[in-house]
Amino acid sequence: MSGFLHPRNPHPSAPTMSARAPHAHGNKARRLREAAERLLAAADVRIDGPRDSDLQVHDARVFERVFAHGSLGFGESYMDGDWSARDLPGLLTKLLGARLDERLRTIGTLLLWAQARFVNLQRGKRAYVVGRRHYDLGNDLFAAMLGKRLVYSCGYWAEATDLDTAQEAKLDLVCRKLRLRPGMRVLDIGCGWGEALKFAAERYGVRGVGVTISREQAAHASALCAGLPVEIRLQDYRDLREPFDAVFSIGMFEHVGARNYRTYFDVVRRCLAPGGLSLLHTIGSNQPPNRPDPWIARYIFPNSQVPSMRQVAAALEGRFVVEDWHNFGPDYDRTLQAWMANFDAAWPRLSQRYDERFRRMWWFYLSASAATFRTRRDQLWQLTLSSEGVPGGYRVPR
């Protein structure tokens, strides 16, 4: 990812046909374009059409790249300016809704899936890769995008009308679900920039420990929580062996990996004091397990996996009682739209550090994520767990 931190690229983000003419590939080029037109018709998308969600081609090599490399080639072509769309989230929503990605699986995609299934990509030194390549990109980027609080996860929009209110509502929802009270000692696994622990300490009077694998996050979180009874550690969650009255994790489980789910819940159980509650906030997939997207895996979240319900349920068996399983996935679309608006507004300042190709990469990432939740391909789950069951039952806060 650090390869994108170059001086600003002088080329425009969406080159015109006259500025960047398509390569002439003769009959092969025509056949590939015709094949692409037939494929896109299933999603009601036209090449060079008049609608905002139509695909505008600036270099005909996009067709060969997509048919050869699937979603990886599609995303890289966008990064290189081979195509654009006035409404990129709208275009990607159409493509995912028609499941065109499933018709463009390549050998590379299948190899990635096999690796995700059979290789533990989240253990040892590999566990720190996503921290270095994504979360350490720069606090300036995330501060500009995420709003008042550096909370890099879905907001709760049940009654909220703006991003900052939605994120505060989410943090309060977590605290209420955990039944936090003054004096309790809580653990945040994957604490990010420390906002959740700061909120819990200030609003609910708790003491806390947060662990993260990102040096940038750890430094920021320590400064943010200075003066509060909060300790931030640069530490692998698997090394935790101490008691807490409550344990939560917000937006970290996607980096645990299917081969480590049981280990994760074993760690939570051994750290959770009798009678305590744990909350897991994670993206969840409707797709068959162990199927990461090649473009996301290469450019955004290396070695990461979105869990399926089957995988989570299997890992919980014999370890926890599921007191509540809450899905508010559509709220992620609204959260991502707010992040995109913030990113766009901050780009004149961010462009001093990040180049144009990075901007297109980041915009594609946020747009594709919004489309994934808009089509309900992915969900946002909050699971509230107890070790032995809450006596008399658990009354669910919403």
Side-chain angles (χ1 to χ4, degrees):
M1 297 292 283
S2 60
F4 291 102
L5 305 184
H6 298 313
R8 188 176 182 182
N9 189 327
H11 299 296
S13 60
T16 63
M17 293 292 285
S18 59
R20 191 174 181 181
H23 300 299
H25 295 298
N27 291 334
K28 180 181 179 181
R30 284 195 297 273
R31 288 196 302 270
L32 289 174
R33 182 184 177 103
E34 290 168 359
E37 288 174 339
R38 291 192 297 270
L39 190 66
L40 292 171
D44 188 30
V45 172
R46 303 173 192 169
I47 296 175
D48 299 330
R51 298 169 298 180
D52 288 350
S53 59
D54 283 333
L55 189 149
Q56 309 300 318
V57 173
H58 309 296
D59 193 316
R61 65 178 177 170
V62 60
F63 304 124
E64 186 169 2
R65 295 178 76 176
V66 170
F67 284 117
H69 303 292
S71 65
L72 178 61
F74 192 57
E76 288 181 334
S77 293
Y78 182 80
M79 291 164 59
D80 292 337
D82 293 349
W83 64 272
S84 64
R86 288 184 293 274
D87 178 7
L88 183 59
L91 167 64
L92 297 178
T93 298
K94 285 187 172 184
L95 301 183
L96 290 180
R99 298 191 174 272
L100 296 194
D101 55 315
E102 297 178 359
R103 299 168 63 176
L104 288 171
R105 291 171 183 166
T106 65
I107 294 297
T109 301
L110 298 177
L111 288 174
L112 177 66
W113 291 355
Q115 183 184 51
R117 180 175 181 182
F118 296 111
V119 179
N120 193 338
L121 298 172
Q122 298 81 20
R123 192 166 182 83
K125 293 181 179 180
R126 290 170 172 160
Y128 289 82
V129 171
V130 70
R132 292 194 305 270
R133 290 180 56 189
H134 187 83
Y135 296 102
D136 288 348
L137 271 173
N139 288 340
D140 60 337
L141 168 66
F142 293 107
M145 184 179 81
L146 299 180
K148 177 182 176 181
R149 298 178 185 274
L150 269 70
V151 179
Y152 197 13
S153 55
C154 181
Y156 188 52
W157 293 81
E159 298 179 1
T161 58
D162 62 83
L163 177 64
D164 293 334
T165 304
Q167 292 294 13
E168 182 169 319
K170 185 264 300 296
L171 297 178
D172 192 63
L173 180 67
V174 169
C175 294
R176 288 188 289 117
K177 285 183 176 181
L178 290 171
R179 298 180 173 178
L180 297 187
R181 300 184 305 278
M184 292 178 70
R185 186 169 188 254
V186 303
L187 170 64
D188 183 351
I189 299 179
C191 64
W193 291 277
E195 294 282 1
L197 279 175
K198 180 176 185 289
F199 183 92
E202 290 179 338
R203 300 289 183 91
Y204 286 82
V206 304
R207 299 173 293 126
V209 171
V211 297
T212 176
I213 58 172
S214 165
R215 292 185 182 277
E216 290 283 339
Q217 288 185 334
H220 181 94
S222 295
L224 182 74
C225 296
L228 295 171
V230 171
E231 178 188 358
I232 304 297
R233 304 174 186 169
L234 189 68
Q235 181 181 16
D236 191 308
Y237 71 93
R238 282 166 283 221
D239 297 330
L240 290 162
R241 297 180 180 276
E242 55 197 279
F244 295 90
D245 298 305
V247 178
F248 64 88
S249 179
I250 302 174
M252 173 270 185
F253 196 69
E254 300 87 339
H255 305 304
V256 169
R259 297 176 69 86
N260 304 301
Y261 292 160
R262 287 181 177 273
T263 299
Y264 171 87
F265 288 118
D266 284 340
V267 170
V268 173
R269 185 171 174 103
R270 82 171 174 236
C271 290
L272 190 61
L277 293 171
S278 178
L279 183 137
L280 176 66
H281 174 115
T282 182
I283 297 171
S285 177
N286 291 339
Q287 304 301 304
N290 306 314
R291 293 193 173 184
D293 177 79
W295 186 86
I296 291 290
R298 174 172 293 186
Y299 290 99
I300 306 299
F301 294 120
N303 300 340
S304 299
Q305 292 177 297
V306 175
S308 71
M309 184 175 287
R310 182 201 322 171
Q311 290 174 318
V312 176
L316 285 168
E317 286 183 357
R319 290 169 174 80
F320 286 98
V321 173
V322 180
E323 300 288 355
D324 182 45
W325 194 313
H326 184 188
N327 181 5
F328 52 97
D331 285 17
Y332 227 141
D333 180 19
R334 294 186 67 179
T335 303
L336 285 153
Q337 289 183 61
W339 289 349
M340 284 188 276
N342 287 347
F343 179 73
D344 271 359
W347 181 248
R349 172 166 44 89
L350 293 173
S351 65
Q352 303 304 310
R353 183 165 182 245
Y354 303 90
D355 68 10
E356 180 63 22
R357 194 166 188 261
F358 179 92
R359 187 191 73 82
R360 294 176 67 82
M361 179 192 76
W362 206 254
W363 186 250
F364 188 84
Y365 151 55
L366 296 175
S367 298
S369 299
T372 301
F373 288 98
R374 196 174 296 178
T375 56
R376 304 305 305 275
R377 296 276 291 269
D378 279 356
Q379 314 304 321
L380 190 286
W381 297 328
Q382 280 192 355
L383 282 69
T384 308
L385 313 170
S386 65
S387 298
E388 304 295 339
V390 175
Y394 178 80
R395 297 295 175 260
V396 181
R398 288 287 192 270

